[in-house]
Every structure is written in structure tokens, then in C-alpha cells.
């Protein structure tokens, strides 16, 4: 049972993704869900139902006044994230802010305000907290040599035009911001280009009724020679999240780089191991090597535990590293977005 003295989280926003993080908070040994806030008290009550100890609250201001709340997971639409995050930081709360953001300048303002107040700003990208990510980064040279190119795709099946992802006033970048974020984060985490971004090309398709960007593909190039290609979108027949990292000595591939099959809250299939495939030379599929990277703890829970640890131990270097990864990811998104217009 979670201790009543555990690190107190509040959830701001009551959408589907907020439920995933709320589940992760409740599963984390050192955290507890202290409150749930929404503009509608009725929605907050419905979300909090069955979640022991979660106090339903109407409005951001009332939630920030709760002494039991030490951190806020912000799951409101992108257009409103910065306002909510800055208010939470001003109230002395650490912030775990769902992606994406309006632009890189917004990330700079939020992360800068948090650092100045000795608080944590972190984006809620789950896969970077799984040990698979650490294993690939630690062994990149042995696995692929010097990374030169990355290809990622992330497509989901989403056709409901009532979903906020189809509202450009709330989610300006549409599919590029929502699922394309993960493609850009894979670039930051695995390709790790040494130079500056010098080229961005992108093309996309918009929903004829709402004007929302529903599909996007493109290329980013860096002055140190690395390139990254990507594809992302909604309204597809099935979910696909693939990544391939190419180097001068080999290739690493994952077919579930965003949400692993084993124990991700969205999939939960323990019969399918989490890991990556490594290949080199002119190998055929029979000789590909699968490297398993197991974790007994879901990556969403690992994210909550890492966030709590950074809030309590005050490691400024690690805090800054997470903030920089958020900024670098958003800068890549901004470049692709600019290339569309």
C-alpha cells in the first residue's frame, strides 16, 4: 500500500492519456494520486471515481492551493499547456507536462521558470525511461558503429473528428505534434546528431472537414552528416511504431519503440518480449540477433519514479538533461512544421 506521505501528484485534464499517467502514479511505490482537477467538477469526480485518495477539484487555481499536491501532470490541450505549467511553477509545484508544445520558445519559458524556482520540468515521453533506451545508447558504437541515419514511423488509427487532435485551435500541429513527437524524440535519443539542423523537408495531408494535419512525412539533415526520415499520422488501418538506426557497422531496429508489448499499459502482452533486433552485413533474417531488454516495471511507472526522484534529490544536471531533450525534440518538430508551410 502506498504511504500517505508519498509524493503527491495531481492530474490536470481528464482525457484518455491522463488515465494512463494516473494509473502509473497509483502503481508507483513512492507516489500517490492526491487530486484530479478539471474545469468541470463533474468530470473530475468521474475521473477520480475508484481512485483511492484522489480528491476531485474544479479548476486549476483551487488545485494549486492544495497542500497535498507537490507535482502536477498537465494533460490539457497544447494551446493551454504553457499557461497551466507556469501557474503551477509559480505555486511551487513540479510539472510533468504532456507533449507536444506550441513551439521551442514555449519549452524554454517553462523549463527556465522551473529551473529558476528549483523545480522539475519534464515532458511525459514514456519510452525514454525504459532500460531498452539506456542499453541502446550505452552500446551504440558496438551495435551500429557511428550512427548516420534514422528512420521512424508512428501511425495510429484515429478517425473521430470530435477528438481534440482534429481541432487546430487546440492542437495546432495535429498528427505531427501528437505522434510525430515520438519520431523526433527517437532522433534525439538514438541518432544523437553532433551538428546543427541545416535542412528540413516535409509534406502532409489535412482533413478536409477540420483542416487538421492528419499525415506527415519528411526528412531532417544535420551539418555533421546525419539524416533522419519520418512518417506519422492518423486515420490508418492499424497502429505502427517502428524505428531503424543505421550506422557504418550495423543496424538496430524496433517494432514497438513507443509502447513495448510486454507490460506497457496500452498493450500489456507479457508473451512478447521487449528488446531490439541487431543486424550487420548481408545477413538474412535467420541470423538477426534479438537482444532482450526486460523490465518488471512498466515504462510509465518508471517515468513517474524518475520524476519523483529528480524532484526530491534536486539533481540539477539530470533535470537540465531532460529539459534539453524536450527542447531539442520540439525544435525538430518546429523545423518540420515550418517546412510544411
Amino acid at each position: 500500500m502506498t504511504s500517505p506521505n508519498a509524493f503527491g501528484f495531481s492530474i490536470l485534464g481528464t482525457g484518455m492519456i491522463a488515465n494512463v499517467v494516473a494509473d502509473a502514479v497509483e502503481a508507483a511505490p513512492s507516489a500517490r494520486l492526491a487530486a484530479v482537477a478539471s474545469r468541470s467538477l463533474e468530470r473530475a469526480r468521474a475521473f477520480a471515481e475508484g481512485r483511492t485518495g484522489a480528491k476531485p477539484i474544479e479548476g486549476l487555481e483551487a488545485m494549486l492551493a492544495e497542500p497535498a499536491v507537490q507535482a502536477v501532470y498537465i494533460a490539457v490541450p497544447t494551446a493551454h499547456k504553457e499557461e497551466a505549467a507556469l501557474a503551477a511553477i509559480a505555486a511551487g509545484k513540479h510539472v510533468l507536462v504532456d507533449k507536444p508544445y506550441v513551439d521551442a520558445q514555449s519549452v524554454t519559458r517553462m523549463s527556465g521558470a522551473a529551473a529558476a524556482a528549483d523545480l522539475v520540468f519534464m515532458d511525459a515521453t514514456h519510452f525514454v525511461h525504459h532500460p531498452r533506451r539506456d542499453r541502446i545508447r550505452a552500446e551504440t558504437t558496438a551495435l551500429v558503429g557511428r550512427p548516420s541515419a534514422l528512420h521512424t514511423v508512428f501511425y495510429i488509427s484515429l478517425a473521430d473528428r470530435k477528438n481534440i487532435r482534429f481541432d487546430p485551435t487546440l492542437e495546432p500541429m495535429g498528427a505531427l505534434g501528437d505522434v510525430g513527437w515520438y519520431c523526433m524524440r527517437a532522433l534525439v535519443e538514438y541518432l544523437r546528431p553532433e551538428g546543427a539542423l541545416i535542412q528540413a523537408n516535409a509534406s502532409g495531408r489535412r482533413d478536409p472537414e477540420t483542416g487538421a494535419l492528419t499525415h506527415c512525412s519528411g526528412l531532417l539533415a544535420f551539418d555533421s552528416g546525419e539524416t533522419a526520415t519520418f512518417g506519422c499520422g492518423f486515420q490508418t488501418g492499424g497502429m505502427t511504431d517502428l524505428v531503424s538506426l543505421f550506422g557504418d557497422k550495423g543496424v538496430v531496429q524496433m517494432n514497438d519503440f513507443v509502447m513495448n508489448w510486454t507490460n506497457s499499459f496500452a498493450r500489456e502482452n507479457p508473451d512478447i518480449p521487449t528488446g531490439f533486433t541487431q543486424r550487420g552485413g548481408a545477413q538474412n533474417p535467420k541470423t538477426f540477433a534479438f537482444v532482450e531488454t526486460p523490465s518488471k516495471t512498466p515504462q510509465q511507472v518508471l517515468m513517474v519514479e524518475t520524476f519523483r526522484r529528480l524532484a526530491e534529490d534536486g539533481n540539477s544536471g539530470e533535470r537540465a538533461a531532460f529539459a534539453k531533450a524536450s527542447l531539442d525534440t520540439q525544435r525538430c518538430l518546429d523545423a518540420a512544421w515550418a517546412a510544411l508551410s
Side-chain angles (χ1 to χ4, degrees):
M1 180 178 294
T2 301
S3 166
N5 297 319
F7 192 75
F9 273 86
S10 178
I11 305 290
L12 178 65
T14 55
M16 183 271 290
I17 299 300
N19 268 293
V20 171
V21 174
D23 289 345
V25 170
E26 290 189 315
S30 61
R32 69 186 181 96
L33 188 59
V36 174
S38 171
R39 288 180 297 176
S40 162
L41 183 58
E42 182 179 353
R43 285 198 297 269
R45 283 172 173 161
F47 189 98
E49 187 176 355
R51 298 186 181 276
T52 304
K55 179 180 180 180
I57 299 173
E58 182 176 6
L60 173 62
E61 185 175 348
M63 181 266 288
L64 294 177
E66 282 290 321
V69 172
Q70 296 167 268
V72 183
Y73 168 61
I74 296 173
V76 299
T78 295
H80 305 304
K81 285 172 184 169
E82 181 180 348
E83 180 183 6
L86 292 179
I89 291 166
K93 313 296 184 184
H94 304 280
V95 290
L96 179 64
V97 189
D98 200 42
K99 54 75 193 168
Y101 311 104
V102 171
D103 53 32
Q105 289 74 28
S106 179
V107 176
T108 298
R109 288 189 291 268
M110 289 185 286
S111 60
D118 193 24
L119 297 168
V120 176
F121 164 87
M122 182 188 286
D123 69 61
T125 305
H126 308 155
F127 80 82
V128 304
H129 301 275
H130 194 282
R132 174 170 60 178
R133 173 262 196 188
D134 296 337
R135 177 78 177 268
I136 294 173
R137 282 169 62 98
E139 300 179 14
T140 296
T141 301
L143 292 167
V144 305
R146 182 184 183 276
S148 58
L150 185 89
H151 179 64
T152 55
V153 296
F154 191 11
Y155 292 98
I156 64 173
S157 181
L158 177 65
D160 181 9
R161 290 187 171 91
K162 296 179 181 179
N163 189 290
I164 65 166
R165 294 170 177 83
F166 283 84
D167 185 344
T169 64
L170 296 176
E171 298 295 338
M173 292 187 189
L176 177 61
D178 186 59
V179 286
W181 168 275
Y182 296 98
C183 298
M184 303 305 173
R185 188 53 170 267
L187 183 167
V188 170
E189 298 293 334
Y190 298 124
L191 184 61
R192 292 185 281 175
E194 298 176 357
L197 179 62
I198 57 171
Q199 179 184 346
N201 303 100
S203 61
R205 184 167 78 239
R206 293 183 180 273
D207 178 63
E209 293 186 22
T210 64
L213 183 70
T214 56
H215 289 78
C216 184
S217 59
L219 175 145
L220 302 178
F222 300 83
D223 65 8
S224 46
E226 302 93 348
T227 59
T229 52
F230 69 92
C232 59
F234 306 146
Q235 298 176 315
T236 57
M239 178 176 166
T240 304
D241 54 322
L242 310 174
V243 65
S244 297
L245 175 66
F246 302 90
D248 56 5
K249 295 181 180 178
V251 182
V252 161
Q253 296 177 308
M254 289 174 275
N255 65 1
D256 60 348
F257 85 96
V258 177
M259 292 181 288
N260 68 80
W261 290 103
T262 307
N263 60 7
S264 171
F265 285 178
R267 289 180 170 177
E268 292 186 299
N269 193 323
D271 295 330
I272 302 177
T274 297
F276 58 89
T277 299
Q278 194 274 338
R279 55 191 290 192
Q283 290 179 308
N284 65 56
K286 291 182 179 179
T287 61
F288 294 171
F290 181 77
V291 181
E292 191 170 351
T293 56
S295 173
K296 294 181 180 179
T297 306
Q299 60 193 21
Q300 294 90 344
V301 177
L302 292 172
M303 177 185 71
V304 170
E305 288 289 283
T306 298
F307 182 87
R308 187 273 314 163
R309 176 176 57 78
L310 288 181
E312 293 186 340
D313 71 15
N315 187 322
S316 60
E318 196 172 357
R319 289 180 179 184
F322 276 108
K324 183 180 184 300
S326 302
L327 181 60
D328 290 345
T329 304
Q330 187 67 45
R331 282 174 172 163
C332 291
L333 274 183
D334 291 353
W337 179 249
L340 285 169
S341 47

